[in-house]
Amino acid sequence: MKKLLILLIGLNIISCSRLTYSGFWLRYKSDQITEQKNDQGPWGGTLAINWKAKPDEQFKIAQLKKIAEKNDWKLIDSIPIKRTEIKNMTELNQPIIRVPLKNFEPNSKNADYKSQPLPRWINIDSKLYRFKTNRLIFDSRTDDSTNENGFILLSENGMEMSVYQVWGE
């Protein structure tokens, strides 16, 4: 019994970031992570992580793209988001960002538009990068599935970045 308990604890520690579908981001410059929201369950989950660069460093999309590609995230496209647009993204007076699950229109108010509000920590001009991942998202109304998008919100000055992913139902 004692050996089984030790084995289970060891496996949990070793696989902790593997249980989180985008857990590889938790290992990236972990000393610079300022916030994280990680809600993983058997039928879906969300991941939101924010970093602030050290004063003499910047986050660069070329480096981030390499890390993402090593973990089956493929860069598809990006859109600039102005500070005023970002500051207008709120829900119940809390700063959010809406990441599109099927199309790339983060501010769409269309009723058929499916998006997920997530916490937002960046409040300046930024660029939202969309990546195709190997995880699926399911539409419970139709049972359709599609590869889920992962997102990087990178501040224009390269000093802040956030990663977002939603998967499952």
Side-chain angles (χ1 to χ4, degrees):
M1 182 68 171
K2 185 177 177 182
K3 288 181 182 180
L4 179 61
L5 183 60
I6 291 171
L7 176 64
L8 290 175
I9 290 170
L11 287 174
N12 189 33
I13 291 169
I14 292 169
S15 65
C16 198
S17 66
R18 288 184 181 85
L19 293 175
T20 301
Y21 283 122
S22 298
F24 65 92
W25 288 113
L26 293 168
R27 294 187 302 270
Y28 175 71
K29 297 192 179 196
S30 59
D31 61 319
Q32 295 175 34
I33 292 176
T34 61
E35 301 279 345
Q36 71 178 33
K37 304 271 187 212
N38 188 356
D39 179 18
Q40 306 295 316
W43 293 281
T46 58
L47 180 71
I49 309 170
N50 190 68
W51 290 259
K52 286 196 188 240
K54 293 180 180 177
D56 57 338
E57 293 181 12
Q58 284 185 323
F59 299 110
K60 304 215 184 275
I61 192 57
Q63 180 188 24
L64 298 170
K65 183 181 169 195
K66 285 180 187 176
I67 292 165
E69 285 176 349
K70 285 182 186 175
N71 291 280
D72 298 322
W73 281 37
K74 180 184 174 198
L75 181 62
I76 296 176
D77 52 18
S78 64
I79 58 169
I81 303 179
K82 292 292 182 193
R83 179 178 160 263
T84 53
E85 254 182 289
I86 287 176
K87 288 207 162 219
N88 286 332
M89 290 186 212
T90 62
E91 191 169 277
L92 301 173
N93 293 323
Q94 296 296 313
I96 63 159
I97 187 160
R98 288 195 173 277
V99 295
L101 302 180
K102 291 196 173 184
N103 51 20
F104 207 28
E105 300 170 28
N107 292 322
S108 175
K109 300 292 183 198
N110 182 338
D112 293 335
Y113 172 70
K114 188 169 180 178
S115 69
Q116 176 74 36
L118 292 164
R120 174 183 43 83
W121 300 285
I122 299 175
N123 295 303
I124 61 175
D125 289 353
S126 301
K127 199 167 208 179
L128 184 65
Y129 295 88
R130 179 175 63 151
F131 294 80
K132 190 59 75 183
T133 72
N134 61 358
R135 298 295 167 210
L136 296 177
I137 191 155
F138 296 92
D139 186 337
S140 58
R141 295 172 292 168
T142 64
D143 286 334
D144 288 343
S145 68
T146 185
N147 283 70
E148 177 52 59
N149 297 323
F151 297 89
I152 293 177
L153 181 65
L154 184 60
S155 65
E156 193 173 85
N157 64 10
M159 297 304 291
E160 294 179 84
M161 81 168 215
S162 298
V163 167
Y164 302 100
Q165 188 176 30
V166 180
W167 62 273
E169 286 188 32

